[in-house]
Amino acid sequence: MIVPSRVLGQRVGAVAPSDKIVMAGLGIGGRGGGDMQALLSYPEVQMVAVCDVRNDRREVVKSMIDKRYGNQDARMYREYEELLARDDIDALLIAAGERWHALLSIYAAKAGMDVYCEKPCGSTIAQDQALRDTFARYGRIYQAGCQRRNGQNFMFAVELARSGKLGRLQTMHAQTIAGQSAITTHSWLPAEPEPDRQVLDWDRWLGPCPMRPYNSNYTRGGASWATYFDFHGGAILEWGTRTVDLCQWAARADHTQAVEYVPYCKDSPAEPHYVLCQYASGVRLVIRNQGGDHGTRPWMGLGSCSVRFEGSDGWVETGDSGKVEVSDNLKGELHPFRPANLALAYHLQEFLDCVKSRSMTSANHVATCNTHITCHAAQISAQLGRKLAWDPASEEFVGDAEANRMRTRAMREPWRI
């Protein structure tokens, strides 16, 4: 009998079947589709199934997987319970709507699966706390889709701050999307006839959110649901998971949260929006969509998701363009950086490596929870329009009952954390 070299992992680039990471996708749309395509390119990954409440997306992803392996073996599921009941899956890619991220991640960990989950990873402070505690309890690997932690230009900027080359770190700036208000609407769209459940399961699409009438505008691709409070945590959370995440990393604050929040938000999304935050260390964080107020300067045009770190001896700014600007005294530190669009590939590879080694990822459950709590607290401060104090030890607002009630939301039956 002849044993092919690929079975023994001897061929260049080949991975033995016993070393394969068996994966499936949950809620794979536009963003998740990019993640899926990337994961299918890794020889150590064997993608076997997709679960989605939308039939068109199930069909697209199944075709994507089958084309990659040259067969028709990929399974499709409408209900996540069937997928989680499988005992042959090592890890999940979760990219459903934000309302589902924490719940599905928690359910997956309890089912013995590791998780790569797109951001934001929880719609409330309570959800993020539950996610953190569950992954710690069950010992599963978690990686949030904060791929900029593996973007070389962002890594360079963070290292300047952490190494002391900026001097004493004083102020960090985190960009949110220009022109987008921090406040989501509490209204909802008028009812339209619901599609057949096999085409789109509206009840499952809503999941733990309040029951709302179906309207096709919610499901037309992109984040068409993202301006509605029922489905979304707001712009500060959405974009802070990208940029506040980098700031917390730069400030060595992955284990904690900011302790003070002062909002400056106007009615018009086109006007500047700020939340001025401070950590117990004294480092300040400015979460802002524009420049020109509160002593901040305009962004330098280095791309979306820009961050700026200012210390006593210098500063650095970078963004999604991959370009980096520094103060004159740090020009000698600059060097070529790999293209910014490679960050996702390195981030996914880190996840796969940690699944095998059982080491914590860079965007792990602890760092992700703490970043999200800072973003949620800033969002709540903006919603209430007042200064808030936060205690990282008890993880509650100091002396503000209304703000503390906003740390969680009711979930629709039968979903529970």
Side-chain angles (χ1 to χ4, degrees):
M1 297 191 302
I2 297 174
V3 180
S5 59
R6 63 178 174 80
V7 174
L8 303 176
Q10 293 175 344
R11 194 175 65 218
V12 175
V15 177
S18 59
D19 292 331
K20 290 275 189 179
I21 299 172
V22 180
M23 294 191 66
L26 258 171
I28 308 302
R31 176 63 192 171
D35 294 339
M36 176 68 73
Q37 284 281 18
L39 284 167
L40 286 169
S41 71
Y42 291 94
E44 64 262 54
V45 170
Q46 181 72 35
M47 198 68 66
V48 297
V50 59
C51 178
D52 204 292
V53 298
R54 295 175 56 157
N55 182 64
D56 57 344
R57 289 186 173 176
R58 292 195 296 268
E59 295 283 357
V60 166
V61 177
K62 174 179 167 55
S63 296
M64 189 187 305
I65 297 171
D66 289 344
K67 181 179 179 180
R68 166 67 177 84
Y69 300 123
N71 56 40
Q72 296 292 317
D73 294 345
R75 292 286 304 277
M76 295 188 295
Y77 301 93
R78 180 169 56 83
E79 297 183 351
Y80 66 82
E81 293 92 339
E82 294 182 77
L83 180 64
L84 296 181
R86 291 182 57 159
D87 60 5
D88 62 334
I89 295 175
D90 302 309
L92 290 183
L93 164 64
I94 298 176
E98 174 196 324
R99 60 203 171 275
W100 272 112
H101 286 176
L103 279 175
L104 292 176
S105 296
I106 288 169
Y107 296 160
K110 290 183 175 182
M113 300 176 186
D114 299 324
V115 170
Y116 183 99
C117 183
E118 272 303 337
K119 54 197 179 294
C121 300
S123 296
T124 66
I125 289 174
Q127 286 185 14
D128 292 315
Q129 292 167 325
L131 185 148
R132 174 194 61 196
D133 297 345
T134 300
F135 275 82
R137 183 179 305 117
Y138 286 85
R140 307 315 307 174
I141 301 301
Y142 182 86
Q143 177 86 306
C146 303
Q147 74 272 12
R148 288 166 187 83
R149 288 205 176 211
N150 275 284
Q152 201 172 47
N153 58 306
F154 291 108
M155 296 166 72
F156 170 80
V158 167
E159 181 56 28
L160 283 184
R162 292 169 65 99
S163 67
K165 291 180 179 178
L166 302 181
R168 183 173 61 85
L169 185 62
Q170 296 174 328
T171 304
M172 306 179 295
H173 300 264
Q175 185 188 35
T176 59
I177 189 168
Q180 184 170 344
S181 172
I183 310 303
T184 49
T185 178
H186 287 259
S187 65
W188 59 85
L189 298 173
E192 294 178 356
E194 275 188 37
D196 182 86
R197 192 179 179 200
Q198 294 298 324
V199 174
L200 190 156
D201 190 332
W202 177 242
D203 181 64
R204 285 276 170 150
W205 189 95
L206 287 171
C209 296
M211 175 54 72
R212 297 290 182 243
Y214 170 79
N215 187 291
S216 58
N217 285 291
Y218 294 133
T219 61
R220 283 184 176 170
S224 51
W225 41 265
T227 57
Y228 297 92
F229 177 83
D230 290 332
F231 311 139
H232 192 44
I236 291 176
L237 174 67
E238 174 71 28
W239 293 93
T241 58
R242 297 159 167 82
T243 56
V244 174
D245 177 68
L246 295 164
C247 291
Q248 294 228 156
W249 185 24
R252 300 183 183 273
D254 277 348
H255 65 290
T256 189
Q257 310 105 24
V259 299
E260 183 178 276
Y261 303 83
V262 182
Y264 177 81
C265 297
K266 294 189 176 181
D267 294 334
S268 169
E271 295 183 271
H273 288 74
Y274 305 89
V275 179
L276 310 180
C277 314
Q278 185 163 308
Y279 293 84
S281 64
V283 175
R284 296 183 297 272
L285 167 65
V286 186
I287 303 174
R288 60 189 178 98
N289 65 344
Q290 299 183 37
D293 204 346
H294 286 293
T296 63
R297 66 189 69 209
W299 294 108
M300 300 180 72
L302 303 182
S304 59
C305 298
S306 285
V307 290
R308 181 183 178 89
F309 308 138
E310 298 171 346
S312 57
D313 299 333
W315 57 266
V316 59
E317 183 173 320
T318 190
D320 281 344
S321 68
K323 299 176 182 177
V324 179
E325 295 288 347
V326 295
S327 51
D328 290 341
N329 62 315
L330 295 171
K331 296 290 188 184
E333 300 287 337
L334 292 173
H335 58 78
F337 303 102
R338 64 188 180 220
N341 61 2
L342 293 179
L344 176 61
Y346 282 91
H347 201 57
L348 290 169
Q349 185 65 65
E350 182 196 359
F351 171 67
L352 299 175
D353 291 343
C354 289
V355 167
K356 290 181 281 189
S357 69
R358 310 313 295 170
S359 302
M360 286 181 71
T361 62
S362 58
N364 57 71
H365 53 285
V366 177
T368 296
C369 174
N370 289 319
T371 288
H372 280 47
I373 288 177
T374 293
C375 294
H376 281 300
Q379 184 79 38
I380 292 169
S381 174
Q383 287 178 273
L384 294 176
R386 62 174 177 262
K387 177 179 176 179
L388 295 176
W390 174 263
D391 180 2
S394 62
E395 293 191 340
E396 62 183 10
F397 293 103
V398 179
D400 197 315
E402 184 179 14
N404 278 321
R405 286 195 296 272
M406 297 171 72
R407 291 176 300 167
T408 189
R409 300 183 191 180
M411 288 188 177
R412 187 167 63 96
E413 293 287 354
W415 289 284
R416 287 287 181 270
I417 290 180

